Amino acid sequence: MTVLLTRRSMVGRALAIGSTSLLTACNFDDLQHPDLADRVLRVMSRWNDRVQEALFDPTRLAPTYPASAITRPPRFNAYYDISDVRVVDGNAWRLDLFGAISEKRAWRLEDLRTLPQESQITRLICVEGWRVVGQWRGVPLGDFLRRIGADTRARYVAFRCADGYHSSIDMASALHPQTILALDFLDAPLTPAFGFPLRLRIPTKLGFKNPKSLTALGVTNEYPGGYWEDQGYNWFSGS
Ligand SMILES: Nc1nc2c(c(=O)[nH]1)N[C@H]1C(S)=C(S)[C@@H](COP(=O)(O)O)O[C@H]1N2
Ligand SMILES: [Mo]
């Protein structure tokens, strides 16, 4: 069983880097038709998403760590500098819901806090080549989706953020037990830089699939893409 799972993850990794190695191997940059090369790579990356989706095991857990492994201080990342982080007003904040959801009333922070919470010490891996271990606590996304009457047969869950960032994930990953809407980091409310008041924490995917300072969540069958995904990062990006 373990061997099979390890093989699966290796195949996933090989596929995840497949389009990049092709880029180098064929020297696409030197081609006379960079638009065509770009289109070919995009089609390959979407095909790669489908294979990763098919290989995803919804019962397989991401590794967890002891408290002693937590990285201190944590490491910030965003598409801008930490000095440009804007502060969200927690009292005025609402999580808006859109798409295939039957109960679309917006959620206040205090109401999210009344829901059962899960805690995890897991690793966040950024494509820039660093990784940190942190402790997050929040509402399992699967529980939340069922509570709001989301159509869990839909393909995608999409997220929008206070800073204009956005991302989206496949439904199987959204329902994974370790995928949470995190409210706390290291036993205290998230700080603005790390996603106050609410962020997605999904240890089965790369760091950029963990949108911070959420403002809206939706369920849809139309491919939502994302901030980095639209610039060519592989969409599925399992870690
Ligand atoms: N709103 C928002 N969320 C975001 C980003 C961002 O720029 N804006 N960057 C992503 C990237 S690339 C990474 S690696 C992680 C970093 O999370 P951290 O600051 O908690 O380490 O946040 C992700 N979520
Ligand atoms: Mo990242």
Side-chain angles (χ1 to χ4, degrees):
M1 192 62 180
T2 320
V3 175
L4 176 71
L5 293 176
T6 312
R7 282 227 184 102
R8 275 178 173 229
S9 94
M10 280 170 61
V11 173
R13 266 161 223 250
L15 288 165
I17 58 167
S19 51
T20 324
S21 37
L22 184 79
L23 181 69
T24 335
C26 303
N27 235 330
F28 261 107
D29 281 343
D30 295 345
L31 285 184
Q32 303 241 312
H33 303 289
D35 300 355
L36 177 65
D38 197 59
R39 281 209 301 279
V40 168
L41 288 172
R42 266 170 203 273
V43 168
M44 286 195 57
S45 189
R46 290 300 289 140
W47 174 80
N48 172 339
D49 286 335
R50 297 226 161 207
V51 178
Q52 287 192 71
E53 246 180 296
L55 288 172
F56 180 72
D57 178 349
T59 64
R60 183 182 171 218
L61 298 181
T64 56
Y65 299 83
S68 58
I70 293 172
T71 310
R72 293 173 201 268
R75 181 164 175 164
F76 166 86
N77 199 28
Y79 67 92
Y80 45 81
D81 194 81
I82 193 163
S83 59
D84 293 326
V85 168
R86 43 191 123 159
V87 181
V88 172
D89 174 359
N91 294 319
W93 179 87
R94 296 285 183 277
L95 180 70
D96 291 322
L97 303 179
F98 61 93
I101 292 170
S102 61
E103 287 165 53
K104 286 209 192 71
R105 85 180 157 85
W107 281 69
R108 295 179 306 175
L109 200 44
E110 60 208 82
D111 296 331
L112 285 169
R113 287 221 171 258
T114 65
L115 302 179
Q117 317 272 312
E118 281 283 338
S119 182
Q120 59 174 255
I121 301 178
T122 49
R123 191 170 62 178
L124 182 144
I125 303 171
C126 177
V127 282
E128 288 174 353
W130 50 266
R131 47 196 64 198
V132 290
V133 172
Q135 180 181 31
W136 291 269
R137 184 173 53 233
V139 182
L141 179 59
D143 292 353
F144 186 71
L145 290 173
R146 284 182 277 263
R147 184 176 290 268
I148 61 178
D151 178 3
T152 53
R153 292 158 312 171
R155 290 203 60 188
Y156 307 106
V157 181
F159 301 90
R160 297 177 190 151
C161 307
D163 58 3
Y165 193 81
H166 61 118
S167 189
S168 58
I169 59 174
D170 54 291
M171 185 59 75
S173 296
L175 300 175
H176 185 277
Q178 288 171 310
T179 303
I180 64 174
L181 292 171
L183 293 149
D184 295 323
F185 182 69
L186 300 177
D187 289 324
L190 291 165
T191 56
F194 291 96
F196 179 83
L198 187 73
R199 85 175 298 177
L200 182 69
R201 176 62 194 130
I202 178 163
T204 55
K205 288 192 187 290
L206 293 175
F208 79 92
K209 307 289 294 183
N210 289 247
K212 300 190 274 190
S213 302
L214 297 175
T215 55
L217 175 165
V219 173
T220 175
N221 281 308
E222 267 162 62
Y223 177 68
Y227 182 89
W228 289 117
E229 293 87 337
D230 297 350
Q231 296 176 56
Y233 280 39
N234 172 248
W235 175 76
F236 192 90
S237 282
S239 70

